[in-house]
Amino acid sequence: MTVETTPSREPQDAHKPVRSGDAHLRIVGAAGLDRILRPLHRWVWSDARRRGEKLLKFAQTEADGGRDIARAAERTHDALLRRLYLRHALDEQRHANLFRTRGRAILREVGQKREDGDATFDGNFFSPGERGLDDLQVDEESEGSLLAFLHLSEKAAARRFAVYQEVLEVDPVTRDVFVDVLKDEAFHMNYTLSQLKRVEPKKAGWRLWWARLTRLWKGYLRIASAIANVMGGIVLAVQYFVILPIFALMAKRSAKKELPGWAPARDGGERSLRSQY
Amino acid sequence: MKILGLSAHYHDSAAALVIDGVPVAVVQEERLSRKKNDAAFPLKAIEWCLEQAKLEPEELDAVVFYEKPMLKFERILTSALRAFPKSWSSFPKAMKNSLGEKLWVKGIISSHLGIPGSKIFFTEHHQAHAAAAFLTQPAKRAAILTADGVGEWATLSVGVGEKMDDGRVAIKLLRELHFPHSLGMLYSTFTAFLGFEVNEGEYKVMGLASYGKPEYVDQVRQVISPEKNGAFSLHLDFFDFHTTAKRSYSEKFVQLFGKPRAPHEPLDPTTPEGARYANVAASVQRVLEDTLVEITKSLHEETGESVLCFGGGVALNGVANGRILRESGFSEMYVPCSPGDAGCALGAALYADRIFFKNPHVDFPDHPYWGPSVDPEELAAVASEDGLPIETVASDDALLDRTVDLLASDKIVGWMDGPCELGPRALGNRSILAAPHTVAMKDRLNKEIKYREEFRPFAPAVPIEVAGEYFELPPGGARLGAFMSGVFPVKPEWRDKLAAITHVDGTARVQTVERDKAPKFYALLEKYGKKTGIPILLNTSFNLAGEPIVTRAVEGYSTLRRCGIDVVIAGRYIVSKKPSHAVMPTDGGTS
Ligand SMILES: [Fe+2]
Ligand SMILES: [Fe+2]
Ligand SMILES: [Fe+2]
């Protein structure tokens, strides 16, 4: 008996989308920066273990992305959008399964995961998954801004996946997974744009610009907060080694005095509900 | 008196509104935000609760938070100091994590709700667990046990509760065990070791345990040893959860139990490696049970009470609960529908009401249905917009008959009725229901709907009066089964006919259904019994993997569209899938 820890089969109605040939692949050919970074991508994807682990991570983000889109379907009052979102959600669910199955197969081939702390460099910054570094707040967006955001994010994903597929000569099976997924991504990118134009014909262009600016701003915030985080970490680490040793000594002493086993419960007296201690 | 209870920031956040001593509305944030285990400050839950009573925040008399933030911070800081210098890498993270909104809860409540600090109160974490366990059940007096990962310092506490004739209530916690000595942490460490997600995969360990033999009990006993009066201590060199956030077990732990399982590794208990994992699971399960039985036995002797109320996340371990009931000496045992931290929102509100404000105790029905109600019209509207077949029946009775027909013909039914449940278990208001008879049904549910491991069993629901005919229930077992809190053997003669809900070791996590608490669900079981001879249905939560249980009808609808459920039912509407030739839309837009 084999006990799989996740689905081994697609859901019943995870229909494959209707496809219109390779035109999609042309639309989403690798562009700009990703083209320049191709050698780097090739290197990131060259290691089998890293590849397996990345695919598992992608599976996770595809599944999360699918849930976000399903949420969008539950929220919308537009019947056509609901149907499209539901189909989109099923696509992402299918991608998650594809990535997971492939990632597991690779990791099975290369053998066991190393002990923690010895993980391979995963190069996530260079090759994030579909939703990449975008985070989607379905509940907070209006229909138009959600569609604009989705369009940009799907477009970025489609480009990214096109590059991955190009640099995966070493692993044709994984490349085929990306080819398969890429067709759906092209559909996602196209329908979100055409629906944006239908839902908000006058504001569509403005929505897209606003979404672009928001993504830039969020990117800046992400970098800024990462830097602040590192700096804060350094300050705290310095404090840790400069100020804390003496207190650590005291804490260790008092820990030694503590007897194992039961301690009396703190008094639940009347005053205590006002106190945060 | 209007009291709002809140839990937030660590696991499941939730809000509970208690008015004049009675819960009016309780809901977990995840059910509204649709983010599983949402731990954010529960704004949506608060808003919904206040809406139910048409209250403005200023009209609240008190807002009670379920733990003491400063005390918790003290524990985090002290633990880091004690682990010096090993904690150097986790210290900055722990500080940044706690110094944010987790520490300034009072300010956050005050600014979000616009109420003065004088109306904001804090119970201790285990006081809230104890109140959620004792004050939501009918017994006048009881012994109380709470056990979880950790609150402020306490990880486990024992005490007694009494509702006096004059209405006064006393909850006296007698003693407690402190971090890092924690049954919850012990179990979570093994959960991580076995490759499951901590705070989420604990019940997978319990399910897996049934496939193994407790061959590692001696090794587990090396990492946890007994102290006086049923207490215990963990041997800290086997653990790392108190020093770093990266890993919960240490190198020494790995030397003792072997290589940990990677999350992506398939788990097959018939292979030697899989059997080792199952055996490790069985061993920690055994030691957990033994420890709880020891503690409850001595609590029983000490207090002489006949009823035990058990709260905290550890109380979700139904196998352990079954053993406590059989072996501790307590003749009745009660586990609330939400023994974990979400239930603490209600616990904190009730504790403040009865103990701090000294309001007299008021009995209220101990059902789990405190959340938002389903709106059947919403289901009908979206289904008809999408052109799905909708059947409308004329009466409740006809609906039940039709549902029974569907179930008896092996259809999988998404069932939504009334207010949603509080707590992690669907108990008949947001349930996926199916015939409980065949292994094929179990496999179908695993593969097409739940996308989950075969070693996690599905639960049966049965009318309480006849539960004993199908399951070997000890005295008090039927009561414990009200919220699926106990695991009991299926009677051998029924195992073949109840194959979808009988676990590999012949047990099941039974839900005993009472007519007055869930009349419609009860009637459904009765009618199913009349038709098939067995009044039992498979009952699993109405959600997909990674999603919270559905709340609104449209969420049930979207679940129908994304998995192998055959029909969704709400009110008098039965919505089924389109015939399979139907095509999903391509782009209907205007580009
Ligand atoms: Fe995708
Ligand atoms: Fe996509
Ligand atoms: Fe807790």
Side-chain angles (χ1 to χ4, degrees):
Chain A
M1 176 196 62
T2 301
V3 181
E4 285 277 338
T5 45
T6 35
S8 50
R9 251 193 69 185
E10 285 174 37
Q12 256 186 344
D13 53 356
H15 306 283
K16 291 213 174 178
V18 183
R19 285 178 180 143
S20 48
D22 285 343
H24 289 328
L25 294 182
R26 254 180 286 121
I27 302 171
V28 298
L33 193 60
D34 278 325
R35 204 177 275 281
I36 300 163
L37 290 178
R38 206 174 314 184
L40 198 57
H41 285 298
R42 183 167 284 117
W43 174 77
V44 166
W45 285 95
S46 62
D47 179 80
R49 182 183 309 279
R50 183 160 53 221
R51 200 155 61 232
E53 280 166 4
K54 283 192 82 61
L55 289 173
L56 288 181
K57 205 168 256 173
F58 282 16
Q60 196 74 47
T61 49
E62 294 281 324
D64 288 345
R67 279 190 276 277
D68 284 340
I69 308 290
R71 181 71 191 139
E74 289 160 6
R75 237 183 39 118
T76 186
H77 295 290
D78 182 318
L80 176 59
L81 275 183
R82 180 169 55 243
R83 290 200 287 276
L84 286 162
Y85 285 150
L86 278 172
R87 179 191 145 175
H88 186 165
L90 284 171
D91 286 346
E92 304 298 6
Q93 204 169 307
R94 193 176 73 89
H95 300 169
N97 289 349
L98 286 169
F99 285 138
R100 189 180 300 111
T101 310
R102 183 60 197 145
R104 281 206 185 144
I106 293 176
L107 288 174
R108 220 164 293 156
E109 275 164 38
V110 297
Q112 258 317 295
K113 201 185 165 206
R114 284 167 232 182
E115 288 308 309
D116 290 16
D118 188 20
T120 44
F121 172 70
D122 56 12
N124 278 334
F125 191 77
F126 304 115
S127 56
E130 160 152 12
R131 209 54 73 208
L133 302 168
D134 292 328
D135 66 303
L136 188 55
Q137 302 283 340
V138 176
D139 278 18
E140 269 122 64
E141 306 283 354
S142 73
E143 207 77 86
S145 66
L146 180 63
L147 282 165
F149 182 88
L150 276 176
H151 171 68
L152 292 180
S153 152
E154 295 288 337
K155 190 166 166 182
R159 286 187 172 155
R160 225 174 275 139
F161 284 180
V163 177
Y164 302 164
Q165 164 226 300
E166 282 170 31
V167 300
L168 270 164
E169 303 98 338
V170 281
D171 182 350
V173 184
T174 304
R175 191 189 54 206
D176 289 349
V177 169
F178 277 107
V179 171
D180 186 355
V181 166
L182 191 51
K183 289 172 188 160
D184 290 344
E185 305 305 358
F187 169 73
H188 300 162
M189 163 184 136
N190 290 339
Y191 96 82
T192 43
L193 182 62
S194 56
Q195 290 304 311
L196 172 61
K197 288 178 183 162
R198 176 181 69 86
V199 175
E200 294 195 315
K202 289 203 181 109
K203 279 203 221 156
W206 180 82
R207 284 283 189 211
L208 283 169
W209 274 109
W210 183 249
R212 262 180 216 124
L213 284 176
T214 312
R215 285 181 89 220
L216 275 177
W217 173 242
K218 280 187 182 165
Y220 163 74
L221 282 184
R222 206 174 299 117
I223 292 167
S225 80
I227 292 170
N229 204 26
V230 169
M231 280 169 24
I234 292 170
V235 170
L236 281 162
V238 168
Q239 286 181 7
Y240 180 86
F241 286 110
V242 175
I243 303 172
L244 257 52
I246 178 84
F247 295 103
L249 203 70
M250 283 153 61
K252 281 178 193 237
R253 276 213 188 133
S254 80
K256 273 192 197 126
K257 276 187 228 148
E258 256 173 38
L259 297 171
W262 294 110
R266 283 160 46 99
D267 179 54
E270 219 171 86
R271 220 199 91 253
S272 68
L273 248 56
R274 295 203 178 274
S275 160
Q276 299 194 53
Y277 287 94
Chain B
M1 201 166 187
K2 304 173 192 75
I3 302 177
L4 182 71
L6 299 178
S7 72
H9 295 334
Y10 291 91
H11 301 290
D12 259 344
S13 54
L17 181 63
V18 170
I19 297 181
D20 297 333
V22 177
V24 173
V26 192
V27 68
Q28 287 152 260
E29 183 73 359
E30 64 158 27
R31 303 291 158 89
L32 300 170
S33 73
R34 309 309 297 158
K35 291 183 194 122
K36 196 172 167 83
N37 299 124
D38 197 343
F41 188 75
L43 276 178
K44 291 191 168 75
I46 294 171
E47 207 172 293
W48 180 79
C49 284
L50 295 180
E51 227 173 75
Q52 299 319 296
K54 306 209 164 25
L55 283 183
E56 292 300 321
E58 314 79 76
E59 297 174 72
L60 290 167
D61 297 297
V63 178
V64 191
F65 194 67
Y66 80 129
E67 61 184 14
K68 307 249 184 209
M70 297 294 178
L71 192 60
K72 186 159 191 149
F73 180 67
E74 179 202 281
R75 189 255 301 160
I76 292 166
L77 186 61
T78 310
S79 303
L81 289 173
R82 285 180 182 177
F84 188 93
K86 252 175 108 183
S87 54
W88 75 271
S89 62
S90 61
F91 175 78
K93 213 183 247 169
M95 286 306 110
K96 278 184 272 179
N97 196 8
S98 338
L99 290 171
E101 62 169 15
K102 289 177 184 172
L103 197 53
W104 312 119
V105 175
K106 195 168 187 169
I108 285 169
I109 295 174
S110 173
S111 64
H112 276 306
L113 298 180
I115 56 167
S118 58
K119 282 188 181 178
I120 301 171
F121 300 86
F122 303 86
T123 66
E124 276 178 43
H125 189 97
H126 279 248
Q127 284 173 336
H129 273 312
F134 177 63
L135 296 174
T136 57
Q137 55 81 51
K140 289 271 177 219
R141 37 188 312 133
I144 300 171
L145 168 66
T146 63
D148 64 0
V150 60
E152 297 92 352
W153 276 102
T155 65
L156 184 148
S157 68
V158 295
V160 284
E162 189 184 356
K163 299 166 195 161
M164 289 161 247
D165 288 337
D166 60 4
R168 280 180 304 143
V169 173
I171 291 178
K172 177 104 185 105
L173 295 182
L174 303 166
R175 52 183 184 274
E176 57 194 29
L177 292 171
H178 285 173
F179 185 83
H181 308 290
S182 158
L183 283 181
M185 289 297 203
L186 174 80
Y187 210 78
S188 297
T189 301
F190 279 91
T191 304
F193 174 82
L194 292 168
F196 304 121
E197 211 176 309
V198 169
N199 287 331
E200 187 56 35
E202 277 74 7
Y203 52 100
K204 297 183 187 174
V205 177
M206 193 181 86
L208 182 62
S210 307
Y211 285 85
K213 297 189 197 76
E215 285 174 357
Y216 288 85
V217 161
D218 290 342
Q219 283 89 327
V220 180
R221 292 235 176 270
Q222 286 181 46
V223 310
I224 173 174
S225 57
E227 304 286 347
K228 262 191 253 160
N229 277 335
F232 58 85
S233 53
L234 300 187
H235 292 265
L236 297 177
D237 7 336
F238 291 99
F239 299 92
D240 266 343
F241 63 77
H242 57 300
T243 60
T244 154
K246 267 194 226 136
R247 195 163 95 155
S248 46
Y249 48 87
S250 72
E251 208 38 56
K252 213 170 152 187
F253 189 99
V254 176
Q255 282 163 19
L256 195 58
F257 293 101
K259 190 175 64 65
R261 176 178 161 268
H264 61 78
E265 223 181 298
L267 187 47
D268 178 356
T270 60
T271 64
E273 195 65 351
R276 178 170 67 87
Y277 295 132
N279 291 344
V280 169
S283 308
V284 66
Q285 175 66 29
R286 170 67 62 84
V287 171
L288 174 86
E289 291 168 19
D290 290 349
T291 310
L292 287 170
V293 166
E294 272 313 301
I295 291 172
T296 46
K297 252 186 189 167
S298 68
L299 183 63
H300 177 249
E301 276 160 25
E302 178 184 348
T303 60
E305 297 295 341
S306 58
V307 179
L308 172 69
C309 294
F310 185 15
V314 177
L316 287 167
N317 195 305
V319 179
N321 293 345
R323 264 196 71 193
I324 294 172
L325 186 60
R326 284 192 302 270
E327 298 177 31
S328 64
F330 288 104
S331 56
E332 234 183 82
M333 179 172 172
Y334 176 86
V335 174
C337 59
S338 181
D341 286 358
C344 283
L346 180 57
L350 290 172
Y351 189 93
D353 184 69
R354 311 290 201 269
I355 310 282
F356 184 77
F357 295 113
K358 295 190 167 42
N359 291 319
H361 180 76
V362 192
D363 277 324
F364 52 85
D366 59 335
H367 63 65
Y369 313 111
W370 299 109
S373 280
V374 70
D375 173 10
E377 298 309 323
E378 191 182 67
L379 175 67
V382 287
S384 75
E385 275 179 7
D386 288 359
L388 261 63
I390 308 174
E391 194 184 326
T392 312
V393 293
S395 65
D396 277 357
D397 209 45
L399 178 92
L400 295 175
D401 286 333
R402 186 71 187 103
T403 310
V404 162
D405 287 344
L406 289 164
L407 289 163
S409 57
D410 276 340
K411 293 279 185 266
I412 298 176
V413 172
W415 175 262
M416 311 182 77
D417 180 41
C420 78
E421 297 90 345
L422 169 67
R425 278 152 191 163
L427 295 164
N429 279 16
R430 298 291 186 279
S431 289
I432 292 174
L433 303 176
H437 314 297
T438 64
V439 174
M441 178 56 83
K442 179 174 97 175
D443 290 347
R444 211 188 129 197
L445 281 161
N446 275 324
K447 290 195 177 116
E448 292 175 14
I449 294 162
K450 289 293 186 161
Y451 310 126
R452 68 180 205 178
E453 306 79 2
E454 279 168 33
F455 54 80
R456 283 171 51 196
F458 288 106
V462 57
I464 192 162
E465 297 82 359
V466 295
E469 288 173 30
Y470 303 92
F471 304 97
E472 284 166 17
L473 301 175
R479 181 78 184 76
L480 184 60
F483 305 143
M484 283 188 190
S485 305
V487 171
F488 303 107
V490 180
K491 286 195 170 169
E493 62 270 32
W494 288 105
R495 287 181 192 173
D496 282 345
K497 288 193 172 122
L498 295 171
I501 55 93
T502 304
H503 199 27
V504 60
D505 57 358
T507 62
R509 184 158 49 86
V510 187
Q511 180 196 358
T512 51
V513 183
E514 288 162 80
R515 190 193 295 275
D516 56 338
K517 284 182 202 157
K520 202 161 162 191
F521 189 42
Y522 186 96
L524 183 70
L525 291 167
E526 259 186 333
K527 276 187 187 274
Y528 186 79
K530 269 192 197 121
K531 176 149 183 128
T532 64
I534 303 178
I536 297 176
L537 285 171
L538 181 155
N539 174 11
T540 182
S541 55
F542 195 167
N543 64 322
L544 295 180
E547 296 179 15
I549 298 177
V550 300
T551 304
R552 292 168 54 208
V554 67
E555 291 147 14
Y557 173 79
S558 122
T559 309
L560 169 83
R561 298 293 302 272
R562 289 180 293 135
C563 73
I565 293 177
D566 296 303
V567 299
V568 166
I569 299 178
R572 291 185 185 165
Y573 299 112
I574 301 172
V575 171
S576 36
K577 284 235 169 73
K578 265 185 202 173
S580 55
H581 62 265
V583 200
M584 294 294 281
T586 53
D587 190 2
T590 54
S591 76

